[in-house]
Amino acid sequence: MKIGFIGLGKMGAAIAENILRAGHDVTVWNRSPEPVAALEKNGACAAKTPADALQGDALFTMLASDAAMRAVGLDGAALEGAKKGLIHSNLATISVEFARELAAAHAARGLHYVASPVFGRPDAAANGHLIVVAAGASAHIETLRPIYDAIGRRLAIAGDQPEAANLFKIAGNFMIASALETLGEAIALLRKGGVDPALFHEVLTSTLFAGPVYQGYGGMIVHRKYEPAGFELKLGLKDVELARSAAQGLGMTMPLADLVREHFLDAIDDGLGEKDWSAIAGVIAKRAGLE
C-alpha cells in the first residue's frame, strides 16, 4: 500500500519504521527534519508539506494532541487536496469531541476516518507489539488490517463510530495513571515505615499484581528512575484531562481523576513535566516528607 505518515516522535518513528519493513511505500512528514532523514535512509520518501502525505491509499498520524493536529491542518486545510477515498488512521490519543469533528471533516471531503489509538511505550512500538484499538467503518478497518498487523500484536475493534476508540484509550490511560498513583502511595508508605520497597515490588508483581504496568512502572518508582521518559508526564496530564472532560460530557464525575490531576500539576510545578509520567511518585514521596 501507499502510506503517508505524519508525526515522527518516539512512537511515530518506530511505527513508521515497522510499516516500511512490512514492504509498504511510505511518505513521511514531521516538523523537525532529523527523524525524516533517518527514515529516508531506510527507504521512506520525504514529504515537503503535510498535504503531500495525503496522496496515497492511507494516512497514519501520531501527533501529541488535538491542538497539534489542528496546527497541521488535519481538521480542514490539509484535507482539501487529499486523494479522494483516502483512509486516515489516527493513532494518537485525542478528545472524544475532536474525534467526532475529524470524522465529519473527512466525510465532507470524500475521505474516510478511522480512530486507532495504541497502547504501548516506544519499545513496544519498535518491536511491533502495540495494542491497536480501532473504530470506524468495518470495511476501512479491514483495508488497514495488514498495517495494524505490522505494528501491533492485537487489534481490538471498539465500534463503528471513531470516538468509541478514543473513549476506550482515554479510559485505559486513566487506569494507568491511577495505577501510578497507587504505586506511588504504596511505595512511599513502605519507605516511610522502613520496609524494603524492592522486595514488596518483586513479591506483589510476581503474584497478585502481575502485569507490565505494575512491573515496569513499579520498578521505576522503587528505583526513582524517571528517565528516559517513555511517556512524558505532561502528556499524562493531558490524558487525565481528557478523561475528566469525557466524564463531564457524559454527566458523571471521576473523583480519582481529580486527585491524579492535582498530583500531575504539582509534578509539573516541580519541573517534572518532561520526565516519565511515573514521576508522579516523586510528588507523593515529597508530600510524605521523603524528598
Side-chain angles (χ1 to χ4, degrees):
M1 293 178 68
K2 187 175 180 181
I3 305 295
F5 203 106
I6 293 176
L8 301 174
K10 294 176 184 177
M11 292 289 291
I15 294 169
E17 178 71 36
N18 282 332
I19 297 173
L20 269 173
R21 287 176 182 164
H24 300 281
D25 180 358
V26 182
T27 298
V28 296
W29 185 89
N30 194 64
R31 285 191 181 279
S32 57
E34 293 81 9
V36 173
L39 284 165
E40 274 191 289
K41 291 180 181 178
N42 292 328
C45 297
K48 293 181 179 180
T49 68
D52 291 340
L54 279 73
Q55 305 308 313
D57 303 305
L59 168 71
F60 284 76
T61 54
M62 182 54 116
L63 296 165
S65 63
D66 296 12
M69 295 195 71
R70 290 188 192 279
V72 175
L74 290 169
D75 59 336
L79 304 179
E80 296 298 340
K83 179 182 175 183
K84 295 301 180 185
L86 175 84
I87 305 171
H88 175 191
S89 178
N90 180 20
L91 302 165
T93 306
I94 62 169
S95 70
V96 171
E97 296 82 1
F98 191 46
R100 295 190 187 104
E101 183 180 334
L102 286 173
H106 284 68
R109 294 167 175 83
L111 310 174
H112 310 298
Y113 182 74
V114 174
S116 51
V118 297
F119 287 103
R121 290 166 65 89
D123 57 341
N127 294 326
H129 290 167
L130 296 170
I131 298 170
V132 183
V133 181
S138 59
H140 303 146
I141 292 172
E142 288 306 313
T143 297
L144 298 179
R145 186 179 285 273
I147 308 296
Y148 297 140
D149 289 345
I151 69 174
R153 60 186 174 89
R154 177 168 181 178
L155 172 64
I157 299 175
D160 58 5
Q161 298 301 312
E163 64 266 23
N166 292 111
L167 190 60
F168 191 120
K169 179 60 162 52
I170 289 166
N173 277 14
F174 165 68
M175 288 183 68
I176 297 171
S178 301
L180 298 178
E181 175 73 26
T182 301
L183 285 162
E185 291 188 21
I187 290 169
L189 178 66
L190 293 165
R191 289 177 60 201
K192 193 80 171 177
V195 178
D196 181 6
L199 175 62
F200 172 85
H201 174 252
E202 187 276 322
V203 171
L204 268 293
T205 63
S206 63
T207 55
L208 299 177
F209 291 91
V213 170
Y214 288 101
Q215 291 169 349
Y217 288 121
M220 295 172 74
I221 292 170
V222 166
H223 299 292
R224 286 167 271 176
K225 188 177 184 299
Y226 308 127
E227 294 179 297
F231 188 69
E232 292 182 354
L233 189 144
K234 62 186 180 183
L235 296 178
L237 173 61
K238 182 262 295 185
D239 287 355
V240 170
E241 296 283 27
L242 290 180
R244 294 173 72 246
S245 176
Q248 184 177 17
L250 293 169
M252 63 173 282
T253 61
M254 298 181 73
L256 182 53
D258 294 341
L259 172 63
V260 173
R261 173 182 180 270
E262 177 185 334
H263 285 166
F264 274 131
L265 288 170
D266 286 348
I268 288 172
D269 287 343
D270 286 348
L272 304 177
E274 294 185 359
K275 295 188 183 296
D276 192 87
W277 63 336
S278 56
I280 188 178
V283 169
I284 297 165
K286 183 178 178 181
R287 289 189 172 192
L290 292 166
E291 303 290 348

